[in-house]
Amino acid sequence: MNGKRGYQTPFHVDGGIIRDAEGRTVKLWGVNYYVPFNHNYFNIRELGLNHREIIDEDLRHFELLGIDLIRMHLYEREITDRTGNIIENENMELLDYLIEACEKRGST
């Protein structure tokens, strides 16, 4: 969440340490997130729930918890063909939705 702790984007990695645009060490609190992929994707579908609504609800909860970042685990086999080309499918649409929702909340 840009600026939340006074850090200036963009961030970069220097010797294994994340630094902001002013060279300060960046310390953030985050969460691993899987909703558009793998078991979470299928569990939500099995329950008959809407993936986009779940993403919105999760982002609201993350904001209440003061979470600074989301660490996405991408399953390339779910968004690429056998030769590694990105394919348009529901998983990719949900990833796009998640990124757009984060941008709208100022979480780029």
Side-chain angles (χ1 to χ4, degrees):
M1 302 196 174
N2 188 18
K4 186 170 188 177
R5 298 183 190 263
Y7 299 123
Q8 298 299 315
T9 58
F11 297 158
H12 66 279
V13 178
D14 178 21
I17 298 172
I18 301 172
R19 299 198 182 276
D20 75 356
E22 297 178 3
R24 295 176 293 187
T25 300
V26 175
K27 296 179 182 178
L28 303 170
W29 186 53
V31 63
N32 294 334
Y33 197 63
Y34 299 86
V35 164
F37 301 104
N38 205 343
H39 58 281
N40 292 119
Y41 172 82
F42 293 108
N43 293 148
I44 291 167
R45 178 187 277 172
E46 287 174 350
L47 292 171
L49 302 173
N50 181 299
H51 289 87
R52 286 170 178 78
E53 290 174 5
I54 297 296
I55 289 170
D56 291 339
E57 183 177 344
D58 287 344
L59 292 179
R60 281 191 298 276
H61 290 160
F62 294 164
E63 193 170 358
L64 289 171
L65 291 167
I67 289 175
D68 296 308
L69 70 104
I70 297 171
R71 180 177 179 221
M72 284 295 307
H73 292 266
L74 302 177
Y75 290 85
E76 73 283 347
R77 68 184 174 273
E78 295 179 351
I79 59 171
T80 62
D81 63 18
R82 290 180 179 228
T83 58
N85 300 302
I86 293 177
I87 55 174
E88 290 295 326
N89 61 16
E90 188 174 12
N91 299 97
M92 190 61 158
E93 289 173 14
L94 290 171
L95 176 59
D96 287 343
Y97 180 83
L98 172 61
I99 292 169
E100 183 179 328
C102 287
E103 287 175 344
K104 285 180 181 176
R105 291 175 172 273
S107 307
T108 55

